[in-house]
Amino acid sequence: MNDARFDEIDQRILQILQTDSDVPIAEIADRVGLSQTPVWRRIKRMEATGLIRARVALVDQKLVGVPMTIFIGVTAPRHAMEWLEQFRTLIEDIPEVVEAYRLTGSTDYIMKVVVPDIATYDAVYKRLIDRLEFSTVNSSISMEELKFTTAVPTRYL
């Protein structure tokens, strides 16, 4: 979203909020050189326009018992809207699927799945193939998380 209504101060506010959304308005105001009311208005405007979609708590997946991350690449048996809608419904019904993307290239979709162990992954896999047909399913187990962030670059705003 490249919108002239957002400026460098908005970028700085977003950088702060992406690091910690609980930072008090007074502290954000001090850090960006404004008073509290204009900062509050800017944040509300960013929320109203959808630039800020949500404020959430990031949970440590190991501490909640799902230390294993698996990436599943699938190829659809046919490219049809009906199949895509069935796939969307299926992944919405499986809480272990925490992210999913439609891709270009030889893999049509990729999913990020978090589970406690291989047995649970196998159960997720069986739920997938029981409810929908796939041409191929390829899984890769993450050995180590090298970088994880939910923050996106704001310099293009």
Side-chain angles (χ1 to χ4, degrees), residues 8 11 19 27 32 37 39 41 44 52 62 69 79 87 92 97 104-105 113 115 118-119 139 151 155:
E8 187 177 316
Q11 291 175 22
T19 302
E27 183 178 332
V32 301
T37 301
V39 169
R41 284 188 189 125
K44 290 301 173 190
I52 296 176
K62 290 178 183 141
T69 300
H79 295 276
F87 180 68
E92 284 298 321
V97 177
T104 62
V113 174
V115 291
I118 291 295
S139 300
R155 69 175 180 234

Side-chain angles (χ1 to χ4, degrees), residues 8 11-12 26 31 38 53 88 91 128:
E8 187 177 316
Q11 291 175 22
R12 291 170 50 205
R31 289 169 59 180
R53 293 187 346 204
R88 283 182 202 266
I91 61 176
L128 288 167

